[in-house]
């Protein structure tokens, strides 16, 4: 089964907890703290595997949770870092954040890697908190939570040339005679239900990869027919080959077919119109094909090369393949997306950063405090130790949470909620 789009959940491993311990050697007076740091949690890393051709492996395994780091140990021993979780993906995979819609990675080359969910750092042991005023601290950090996100994987085939056209115009037949590919061929619509790839070699020994894409119909960019599922595969192709039934066997006008397919490509992605294109007038061995070709040439207003061929008799294919190879040599690489200024802009020190927390009043009267940085600090606090709790309170005060609650009208003894935990607001 050909699977080219899946949604998965990925979570980086949590960092290991820091240790609270002290030196207890017999001849070391006032030994002091000796708690080690926790190990780093594993990251979820996608790596391109050249042999894969589909996202089928993700159809039944959609949760990837990396292991956490080892906890810190006594005698200042650092916990072991967890090994990253390597997930194999086929070349041509684009990873998109489901929440923001941002492209996280575009994986095209064998061995290319991208961190999808970063592991958390290990919590610091009590050795890290020793100061002249407090030489024996009784506090340590929990490990930082690993990053978690839902992402969509889209497979966009790595083909140099894409065959587009209405159903039953002979795309699969053309691919089968110019390459070793064996696509399904039938005299009914939508015989091709998945893209097919084939390696084509010209008479002068130039080679390229050609993709036969399922037939497009009007409204494909809006989800009509089957072609809308595979329009994404055209995005990576550098040359587009329009295959047209010049014999008009099904009663359609060849020129209108060409205009319709051009419009569908434009509506889906305007940049597809920048690709070099070649028109293949197929089925020239059929009656009326020559007359229709003459009318087509008269109606065509652009300077696009037209190649009369017959995929059935293999007539005219050598000239077509040589022209396609020439177009490929001159065609530039077309990026899938362009980074916006907001994505590439550096945030300078004098610029104001986003608010670290947000305060809302729930229906039950409790003040809800939320924020990525605040919740990270909360999860890294060991609430079983009084000194850690006091440190957390100082961190909230430093972030301005106390002052913000007063501004919202919080009174002494009222409840404040962070995640699912409630605290009393005390002046």
């Amino acid at each position: 089964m050909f699977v080219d789009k899946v949604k998965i959940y990925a979570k980086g491993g949590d960092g290991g907890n820091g240790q609270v311990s002290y030196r207890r050697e017999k001849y070391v007076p006032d030994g002091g703290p000796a708690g080690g740091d926790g190990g780093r949690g594993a990251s979820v890393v996608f790596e391109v595997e050249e042999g894969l051709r589909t996202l089928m492996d993700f159809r039944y395994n959609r949760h990837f949770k990396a292991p956490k780091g080892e906890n810190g140990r006594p005698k200042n021993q650092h916990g072991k870092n967890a090994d990253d979780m390597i997930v194999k993906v086929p070349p041509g995979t684009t990873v998109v954040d489901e929440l923001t819609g941002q492209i996280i990675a575009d994986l095209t080359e064998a061995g290319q890697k991208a961190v999808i969910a970063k592991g958390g750092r290990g919590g610091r042991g009590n050795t890290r908190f020793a100061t002249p005023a407090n030489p024996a601290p009784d506090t340590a950090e929990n490990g930082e939570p690993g990053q978690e996100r839902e992402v969509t994987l889209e497979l966009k085939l790595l083909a140099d040339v894409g065959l587009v056209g209405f159903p039953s115009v002979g795309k699969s037949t053309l691919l089968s005679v110019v390459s070793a590919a064996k696509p399904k061929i039938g005299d009914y619509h939508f015989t091709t239900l998945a893209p097919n790839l084939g390696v084509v070699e010209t008479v002068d020994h130039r080679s390229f990869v050609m993709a036969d894409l399922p037939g497009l119909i009007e409204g494909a960019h809006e989800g009509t027919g089957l072609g809308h599922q595979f329009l994404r595969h055209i995005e990576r192709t550098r040359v587009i080959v329009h295959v047209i039934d010049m014999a008009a066997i099904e009663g359609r006008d060849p020129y209108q077919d060409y205009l319709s397919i051009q419009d569908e490509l434009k509506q889906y992605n305007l940049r597809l119109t920048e690709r070099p294109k070649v028109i293949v007038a197929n089925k020239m061995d059929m009656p009326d094909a020559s007359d229709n070709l003459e009318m087509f040439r008269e109606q065509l207003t652009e300077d696009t090369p037209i190649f009369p061929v017959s995929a059935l008799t293999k007539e005219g294919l050598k000239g077509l393949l040589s022209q396609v190879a020439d177009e490929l040599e001159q065609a530039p690489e077309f990026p899938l997306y362009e980074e916006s200024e907001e994505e590439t802009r550096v945030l300078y020190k004098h610029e104001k950063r986003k608010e670290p927390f947000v305060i809302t009043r729930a229906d039950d009267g409790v003040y809800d405090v939320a924020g990525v940085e605040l919740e990270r600090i909360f999860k890294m606090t060991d609430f079983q130790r009084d000194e850690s709790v006091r440190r957390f309170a100082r961190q909230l005060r430093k972030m301005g949470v106390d002052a913000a609650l007063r501004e919202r009208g919080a009174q002494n003894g009222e409840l404040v909620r962070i995640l699912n935990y409630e605290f009393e607001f005390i002046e």
Side-chain angles (χ1 to χ4, degrees):
M1 183 181 295
F2 184 82
V3 179
D4 63 351
K5 187 173 182 179
V6 293
K7 186 169 76 171
I8 68 167
Y9 168 82
K11 184 185 185 307
D14 298 340
N17 298 335
Q19 172 80 11
V20 175
S21 64
Y22 301 91
R23 296 186 65 181
R24 302 185 182 279
E25 291 90 341
K26 182 176 181 180
Y27 299 106
V28 182
D30 302 328
D37 299 343
R40 176 185 59 81
S43 299
V44 178
V45 179
F46 283 2
E47 182 179 4
V48 177
E49 178 72 32
E50 197 168 13
L52 297 178
R53 289 289 178 268
T54 174
L55 297 175
M56 185 66 188
D57 292 345
F58 296 93
R59 189 175 182 99
Y60 305 107
N61 183 17
R62 301 195 179 200
H63 283 74
F64 297 89
K65 190 174 181 181
K68 65 174 293 184
E70 191 178 56
N71 293 337
R73 300 179 180 181
K75 299 183 181 180
N76 288 321
Q77 294 180 83
H78 195 290
K80 182 181 179 181
N81 296 332
D83 294 330
D84 289 339
M85 174 182 280
I86 305 297
V87 181
K88 303 293 186 179
V89 297
T93 302
T94 302
V95 187
V96 182
D97 189 294
E98 185 71 15
L99 183 63
T100 64
Q102 181 183 6
I103 295 179
I104 303 170
D106 186 21
L107 304 169
T108 58
E109 300 176 2
Q112 185 179 353
K113 294 182 180 181
V115 177
I116 304 304
K118 189 176 180 181
R121 69 171 177 85
R124 292 175 291 179
N126 67 332
T127 304
R128 300 296 190 112
F129 297 97
T131 63
N134 185 13
D138 189 41
T139 183
E141 286 179 332
N142 290 337
E144 181 184 24
Q147 184 182 19
E148 55 182 314
R149 64 195 338 171
E150 287 189 337
V151 298
T152 299
L153 307 186
E154 292 185 358
L155 177 60
K156 300 180 181 181
L157 293 180
L158 295 177
D160 301 310
V161 179
L163 300 177
V164 299
F166 272 74
S168 299
V169 295
K171 299 186 299 296
S172 298
T173 305
L174 178 61
L175 181 67
S176 68
V177 297
V178 300
S179 73
K182 302 297 180 186
K184 185 178 181 181
I185 299 173
D187 58 350
Y188 54 91
H189 286 193
F190 301 115
T191 312
T192 302
L193 299 178
N196 295 298
L197 290 177
V199 178
V200 180
E201 185 173 1
T202 63
V203 291
D204 53 357
H205 304 294
R206 291 179 292 176
S207 62
F208 52 86
V209 178
M210 181 180 283
D212 160 32
L213 303 170
L216 301 178
I217 61 176
E218 290 189 48
H221 69 281
E222 297 176 341
T224 306
L226 289 176
H228 74 285
Q229 301 177 26
F230 305 104
L231 272 168
R232 70 175 69 93
H233 298 297
I234 305 175
E235 291 185 56
R236 291 193 194 274
T237 59
R238 293 162 56 205
V239 175
I240 296 177
V241 176
H242 289 262
V243 183
I244 299 173
D245 176 10
M246 201 54 69
I249 294 176
E250 298 189 359
R252 296 190 309 267
D253 179 21
Y255 184 66
Q256 289 301 321
D257 280 5
Y258 173 71
L259 294 182
S260 297
I261 297 300
Q262 277 287 88
D263 186 60
E264 291 305 317
L265 298 181
K266 180 180 177 180
Q267 294 291 340
Y268 177 74
N269 186 343
L270 183 61
R271 299 204 61 186
L272 291 177
T273 59
E274 303 172 7
R275 305 284 199 278
K277 56 182 178 290
V278 176
I279 298 175
V280 174
N282 195 23
K283 303 187 181 180
M284 293 303 296
D285 55 311
M286 302 292 290
D288 300 327
S290 298
D291 295 339
N292 291 336
L293 178 59
E294 290 302 319
M295 294 176 58
F296 186 89
R297 291 185 191 274
E298 293 174 2
Q299 293 174 298
L300 189 66
T301 57
E302 59 193 56
D303 186 22
T304 302
I306 303 174
F307 287 86
V309 305
S310 171
L312 189 63
T313 64
K314 302 182 181 180
E315 184 180 347
L317 295 181
K318 291 183 180 179
L320 168 64
L321 299 182
S322 295
Q323 178 66 31
V324 172
D326 292 341
E327 295 286 354
L328 274 174
E329 290 178 355
Q330 302 173 11
E333 294 286 346
F334 294 93
L336 282 182
Y337 65 98
E338 293 181 352
E339 291 185 348
S340 64
E341 293 183 3
E342 294 182 358
E343 292 175 348
T344 56
R345 187 175 60 83
V346 177
L347 187 65
Y348 294 98
K349 291 182 180 179
H350 64 272
E351 292 183 300
K352 187 176 181 181
R353 297 181 179 271
K354 293 181 180 179
E355 293 295 328
F357 59 88
V358 176
I359 299 176
T360 56
R361 193 76 181 266
D363 294 338
D364 56 2
V366 179
Y367 290 92
D368 281 321
V369 185
V372 176
E373 181 64 19
L374 181 141
E375 292 173 4
R376 185 184 70 86
I377 294 173
F378 176 82
K379 291 177 181 178
M380 295 181 70
T381 300
D382 183 2
F383 286 96
Q384 295 182 352
R385 298 182 180 276
D386 292 340
E387 194 168 324
S388 296
V389 175
R390 289 194 293 270
R391 178 173 176 266
F392 177 68
R394 291 195 300 270
Q395 288 175 308
L396 292 188
R397 193 175 304 116
K398 186 177 180 181
M399 292 177 67
V401 175
D402 289 16
L405 285 169
R406 292 190 189 95
E407 289 180 7
R408 291 294 300 264
Q411 302 295 321
N412 190 44
E414 288 192 299
L415 293 178
V416 177
R417 182 162 49 221
I418 301 176
L419 296 177
N420 295 322
Y421 297 87
E422 295 181 351
F423 307 86
E424 283 188 9
F425 180 71
I426 299 176
E427 288 285 358

